[in-house]
Amino acid sequence: MNTRFCAVCGLLIVSFCGTAACVLGQSKRSKSDANISAIGHRNIAQGPNFYSPEREKELGNKLAQEVEKTSKFIDDSAIIAYVERVAQNIARNSDKHIPITIKLIDTEESKAFALPGGHQYITKGLLLGLDNEGELASVLARGIAHTALRSDTKIATKIDITHLFDSIPVTSPGKAGSPTVPMTMALLEVREKREAELDADYFGVQYLYKSGYDTKCFLDFVTRIGGANKNVPKSISEYPPLAQRLQALQKEIAEILPKHDGAVISTNEFQEFKNHLQATKPEGAPPQNISNCN
């Protein structure tokens, strides 16, 4: 390894490693992370990020346009209004610092995902598979947690840093152009996405709790989606093993989320929503925002 490489490595380590874990290491929980009273007044997206909030929004808007070119959206006002009310409640009890825009995709596929800049998508198939309002709130809470964490741009930053390392001439195996480099990058991305999912679980269940819902709903939802990914090989799965996720959540709930009276599991409104959703027929519709939670 030449002196130039060592010098740049040292600079990057000093620049990006502080009291928290190193850029490429596992994140650590701070006292504020576990402080439910601090929700809304803390920055959980700390750490290196090459993307300003403005640039992240621009990136998210571009990606959202691509999704919307190939997707059909639910445009039923009653369905939209109900999901919006649940989303607004979660957003008020979260750490997000930018508006959240949620859209419902009219497909039987069961899926939910978030894009940079506050964009969140949930499919009809996933909505129909939910058992109660608490599970719906759990879906929304995880997506909002990803937005508050700025998950995608932080992962992109870590990959950019690794690319920077790769661009520096070295005299050892794994140098630029080596077949091992793309594989290393792919494994890094998978690992970082797993960490981001654990973080979304960690903060998402806090938002659910703070919004008045029973945390068991979150565990039930994670169990359902974790089971859906059980056939994906562990080496390439972007989600941590289900047992690991449940163990971490159960520990968190026991230590910082004590039971509270009146925790909501479901409502009559949820059943009306689900019955109405089941009665709707898939049809094309222009994209429509259902939530802009400020």
Side-chain angles (χ1 to χ4, degrees), residues 23 40 48 202 231 238:
V23 171
Y202 183 84
N231 295 325
E238 297 179 359

Side-chain angles (χ1 to χ4, degrees), residues 53-72:
E54 292 72 23
R55 186 183 174 195
E56 180 173 332
K57 290 177 185 177
E58 291 176 2
L59 174 62
N61 289 339
K62 290 180 181 179
L63 293 173
Q65 289 173 6
E66 293 303 313
V67 172
E68 291 161 13
K69 286 178 182 178
T70 58
S71 300
K72 296 178 181 179

Side-chain angles (χ1 to χ4, degrees), residues 23-24 48 50-51 151-167 181-182 184-193:
V23 171
L24 304 181
F50 290 162
Y51 298 76
S151 298
D152 289 321
T153 52
K154 287 177 67 177
I155 291 172
T157 295
K158 293 178 181 180
I159 293 173
D160 287 345
I161 292 171
T162 306
H163 273 304
L164 179 59
F165 283 150
D166 180 41
S167 69
V181 171
T184 300
M185 295 298 298
L187 292 175
L188 169 65
E189 185 171 5
V190 167
R191 188 189 71 179
E192 294 302 328
K193 286 184 176 180

Side-chain angles (χ1 to χ4, degrees), residues 25 47 50 73 75 93 103 113 130 155 163 171 223 275 285 287:
F50 290 162
F73 293 87
D75 64 351
N93 293 284
K103 298 179 183 180
F113 60 96
L130 301 176
I155 291 172
H163 273 304
T171 56
T223 299
N275 291 341

Side-chain angles (χ1 to χ4, degrees), residues 1-10 165 167-172:
M1 185 179 298
N2 63 25
T3 56
R4 181 186 171 202
F5 179 77
C6 291
V8 175
C9 282
F165 283 150
S167 69
I168 301 170
V170 296
T171 56
S172 60

